Amino acid sequence: RPLVSPWNDAMRKWRGDTNGLATPAVLSAVDSVAKQQPLSTFLFGLDANTHSAGSKKQQGFAEFVKMFDEMGYSSCWGDDAGAGKLYTTFNARTFLQ
């Protein structure tokens, strides 16, 4: 039996692909679903894997910020999450990670 909450809240997460190329499509899909649901709160954690400079092989940070901003979303980094200021990893894909 599913857990029933007295609130209409939802929390989801997504762990992105290494180069972040799937990030815009995933955010668009989540946005579409979220807008169809009568939720009072929708919290979505997104590991976007954006990169300082975008290219055909990597999702750019500035382009992604523009996208989620236009959709009405915000970042845990604040409203001024400028590229070059904040980094969380340098793609250290090793067994030690």
Side-chain angles (χ1 to χ4, degrees):
R1 182 175 155 178
L3 177 65
V4 177
S5 170
W7 306 280
N8 289 325
D9 299 334
M11 182 170 59
R12 301 289 182 262
K13 68 172 183 72
W14 184 70
R15 163 69 170 87
D17 57 310
T18 299
N19 293 326
L21 296 177
T23 299
V26 169
L27 183 59
S28 292
V30 168
D31 181 57
S32 177
V33 170
K35 288 180 177 170
Q36 294 173 21
Q37 304 297 320
L39 301 174
S40 60
T41 302
F42 186 78
L43 178 64
F44 182 66
L46 176 65
D47 181 352
N49 287 331
T50 58
H51 298 262
S52 295
S55 70
K56 290 182 181 180
K57 295 182 179 183
Q58 297 178 329
Q59 174 61 48
F61 178 81
E63 296 86 358
F64 180 65
V65 169
K66 183 177 187 284
M67 179 186 180
F68 76 67
D69 187 53
E70 288 173 352
M71 291 178 163
Y73 293 102
S74 60
S75 166
C76 65
W77 299 108
D79 292 334
D80 186 26
K85 293 183 192 177
L86 306 168
Y87 294 94
T88 58
T89 186
F90 288 95
N91 202 14
R93 304 276 188 231
T94 69
F95 68 96
L96 297 173
Q97 184 178 22

